[in-house]
Every structure is written in structure tokens, then in C-alpha cells.
Amino acid sequence: MSTFPDHLDVEAVRADFPILTRTMRNGNPLVYLDSGATSQKPVQVLDAERSFYERHNGAAHRGAHLLSEEGTEIYEGARAKVAAFIGADVGEVVFTKNATEAINLVAYTMKASAGDEILITEMEHHANLVPWQQLCERTGATLRWLNVTPDGRLDLDHLDAMITGRTKLVAVTHQSNVTGTIPPVAEIARAAHDKGALVLADAAQSVPHQPVDVAALGVDFLAFSAHKMLGPYGIGVLFGRAELLEAMPPFLTGGSMIEVVRMEGSTFLPPPQRFEPGVPPVAEAAGLAAAVDYLSDLGMGNVAAHEESLTAHALDALREINGVRILGPDTTKDRGGAVAFEVEGVHPHDVGQVLDELGVAVRTGHHCAWPLHRALGVQASTRATFYVYNTHAEVDALADGIRYAQRFFGARQ
């Protein structure tokens, strides 16, 4: 019997996720520990998308008929729910394809030049690294970064020196997708604003798992994806402070985002519509709204507490296995529910394959965070990530599977 407390009625939650009843290879039940890559979807989200297509399918913002009006109401209603969920104003929420596109939107509309600096960290997902590399290549700006410590936290000893009067923007993850580390984003934002720099937070791994308030964080931009928070693929969110969005040019252009079009030129709608060309993804927005409702009903404090208990259990269980090295912090302090590890003598891909044979789904590789793995002295790792539908028994199944992999490959007797 686990000594770790539960903060949700997990069995009731699991009943909402049809995929969790699947059997996997060799008749094993599914143990899904890859929510950091994408989450599973509850029936409430599936029903919301199906309901839109069955009852309300009309192009939002594009017609005077009832279906179009209903589509518009659903789409803008979803925007209002997302705004309330993160403590933003409705006009500060832009729908994008995903978090990656949200970050690129900022990177491609930002004015920068030689002499400017962009500050990032070694901890970043490639989605919050490569766009800034490209910005610097286009403009001649300089890319700088904060290093990580051996235990996987940000080295902030030289933060004030790294942020200078030339710093245009600081881009930082709100939670590492590899180590689960939660950097002090509010502290970084204050330091950046003191020097006149803007701040963008990659919240793809935080908004689904903990209470997030953009005002409390003090960030200027924040990006996340629906598919990691129980919602559908194909829709993401960019929060941007209203006055910043107002000053930004369009990223993509076409229909829906225009004000007046003449052969000689065009003018554009105010934000957020300025950044949403084409027919809006209303079904996806409906699914995202349902996901927000689902998480709100659970309570994000409860979600975070449940994941902390699972993470504490996993850290304890993996520490007991000889030959396993946990990457990143070894406690749950300022740490989310991602546990990456290496198994001595067994390649991560082999660990993942053995676990898959047992029905345990994890991720292997560099998790789109190659520089962080290099900084931690490994080429790749195996990663388990937890969410609302995971149980303590599944943590034990992970640990048992790792031991089995060690025996299978002769790494341990």
C-alpha cells in the first residue's frame, strides 16, 4: 500500500478516458506515462468536438446564418475561458496552431538589430531555442544563455550581469520538459523588466499541471498547447500584453485578419484577430474549452498536489534501483511531474522498448532538449511524465519495468 496521499478521485478521473481501457502488447494494460509529449483526452473533450460538428458546424466570423453565429460564439467563448484560466484579458489571448507557432509568432514579429541581445537558457525545449537562433541570424542580434547546474536547475548567480541594457527579450521555460525543474520566472521577469527587457515564458509544461496566473508571473508573453492539457491537437495559445500585441505587425496574412483590402494595400484588424488568419479552428477551440472546464472542475491546486505525490513516489522508487541516475532535482521542491533518468549499461531506447513490451508508455531520446542533455552529461534519457489519470500503482509498474530491463540486458542480477 502506497504511503503517498492522493488528492483526486483518480478512479473517477480514469473512467473519463476511454483509451485507458486498452490492452497493449502481450495483453498488458496501458500504463501511459508520456503526458509530457501529449495528454490523453477525456470524453468531455471528445464530446465537445463531436457536438460542434454534429450541431453547430459553421465558419466562425464568416457568415450571417445561425450556424456561423453559433460557431463564432463557441470560438470566442473558448477564448474567454482560456483567458480566465490564466488570468488574462480576453483580447490578450491569441489562438495559434500550437505553442511552437506561438513562440515563432513573437520571434518573427519582434524588431531586433545588431547590438541587441536575446537571453535564453540551456534548459529550453527546441521550440523556445531555435526561433531565437533564427531571429539572431536574421537580424544580427546576439544570442546569450543561462547555464544549468549539475542538479538541473538554472544557474542564476550571474542573472543581473547577463541581462543588460542591450537585452531585448528573455525567453525561459516555466517548467522543464526533461527534469521537471520550475525556474523562478517571476524573479527573472522582475530582473528583465528592471533593464527594459521583455519576457516570454514557455508554459507548455506548466499550464496543464499547476495554477498559472500571467499577472503574478509578470511575463509579457506566454505560450502553451491544448494537446498537453487534455485538449485536442491543432490549437495553441499565445498570451501577450495588450499594448505589445497592438504594436506588433501580422505574422501570417490572409482572410479574417484584415480590416480593409484594396489592390494598392491592406489594413489589419486589432489583436487578437490580427494574428488569426483563415477560418478559425472552432472544433479544436470547443475541445480546448472543455479541457479548461475539466481541469477547473478538478481544481488546479488538486492537480498539482496529485502530480507532486506521484513524482515524490517515482523519485523514491527510482532512487532504490541501483544503476539508475535521475536527471535534475532529486526532490519535488520547485519541480513538476517529469522524471527523466538513465539506466547504467542499457540504452534509453532499449529501456523504452522493454517498458513498451510491458504496456508502459514512456519517451526516450533527447526530448527536443538536446543542449540540456549535453549540459547534464548524457546523450539521451528515458522520461516518465505524470498527469491526473496516473496512479501510484503505475509508478510501481515503471520501477518494476526498469528492474526487468536491467535483468533482460544483464545490467543487474
Side-chain angles (χ1 to χ4, degrees), residues 12-329:
V13 170
R14 288 177 65 83
D16 290 330
F17 292 80
I19 199 170
L20 299 182
T21 64
R22 271 204 62 177
T23 53
M24 308 304 287
R25 303 185 201 277
N26 306 313
N28 289 303
L30 171 61
V31 176
Y32 188 75
L33 302 179
D34 197 22
S35 295
T38 193
S39 65
Q40 298 303 337
K41 323 303 176 191
V43 290
Q44 291 85 343
V45 169
L46 304 178
D47 288 346
E49 290 194 81
R50 184 182 302 109
S51 175
F52 170 74
Y53 283 124
E54 289 180 346
R55 297 183 55 81
H56 311 289
N57 186 32
H61 295 301
R62 291 209 171 202
H65 56 79
L66 180 60
L67 292 181
S68 179
E69 290 177 5
E70 290 174 348
T72 301
E73 290 174 3
I74 290 169
Y75 187 69
E76 294 303 330
R79 193 193 309 276
K81 284 187 177 181
V82 170
F85 191 65
I86 61 171
D89 290 335
V90 172
E92 296 177 318
V93 170
V94 177
F95 285 136
T96 60
K97 183 171 61 180
N98 46 39
T100 299
E101 183 178 84
I103 294 169
N104 273 276
L105 190 161
V106 178
Y108 274 88
T109 57
M110 174 169 288
K111 295 178 181 178
S113 58
D116 289 333
E117 296 176 351
I118 305 295
L119 180 63
I120 61 172
T121 85
E122 274 188 314
M123 195 179 290
E124 302 309 312
H125 188 284
H126 296 163
N128 202 29
L129 164 59
V130 178
W132 306 115
Q133 291 175 333
Q134 292 293 297
L135 169 66
C136 290
E137 287 188 17
R138 289 194 309 272
T139 65
T142 300
L143 188 71
R144 305 181 73 192
W145 55 87
L146 296 166
N147 294 323
V148 297
T149 61
D151 67 347
R153 298 192 184 276
L154 275 188
D155 184 352
L156 298 177
D157 288 346
H158 306 292
L159 177 64
D160 288 338
M162 291 292 288
I163 303 175
T164 73
R166 296 183 297 276
T167 305
K168 191 82 173 179
L169 178 135
V170 178
V172 59
T173 184
H174 192 204
Q175 179 177 310
S176 169
N177 72 309
V178 177
T179 63
T181 302
I182 301 173
V185 171
E187 174 188 339
I188 293 170
R190 286 192 294 271
H193 290 155
D194 285 347
K195 299 288 182 64
L198 299 175
V199 178
L200 179 144
D202 174 1
Q205 299 291 334
S206 61
V207 166
H209 302 287
Q210 59 178 279
V212 172
D213 183 282
V214 292
L217 278 181
V219 295
D220 303 291
F221 301 101
L222 181 136
F224 58 98
S225 291
H227 75 94
K228 295 182 189 291
M229 55 181 292
L230 310 182
Y233 295 106
I235 187 167
V237 174
L238 172 68
F239 157 79
R241 287 200 291 114
E243 62 271 26
L244 297 176
L245 293 179
E246 183 62 41
M248 289 162 56
F251 171 42
L252 300 172
T253 55
S256 294
M257 49 76 66
I258 49 84
E259 185 178 52
V260 176
V261 175
R262 295 185 174 88
M263 293 306 296
E264 295 80 10
S266 302
T267 58
F268 307 112
L269 290 172
Q273 285 79 16
R274 180 185 301 166
F275 306 106
E276 296 177 0
V279 176
V282 186
E284 290 84 352
L288 173 54
V292 168
D293 285 342
Y294 191 92
L295 291 169
S296 297
D297 288 344
L298 293 179
M300 290 308 296
N302 293 329
V303 170
H306 175 65
E307 291 186 28
E308 183 177 9
S309 72
L310 293 170
T311 305
H313 187 172
L315 293 173
D316 286 353
L318 268 59
R319 269 194 295 263
E320 293 176 358
I321 305 174
N322 291 330
V324 171
R325 176 198 170 197
I326 298 170
L327 304 182

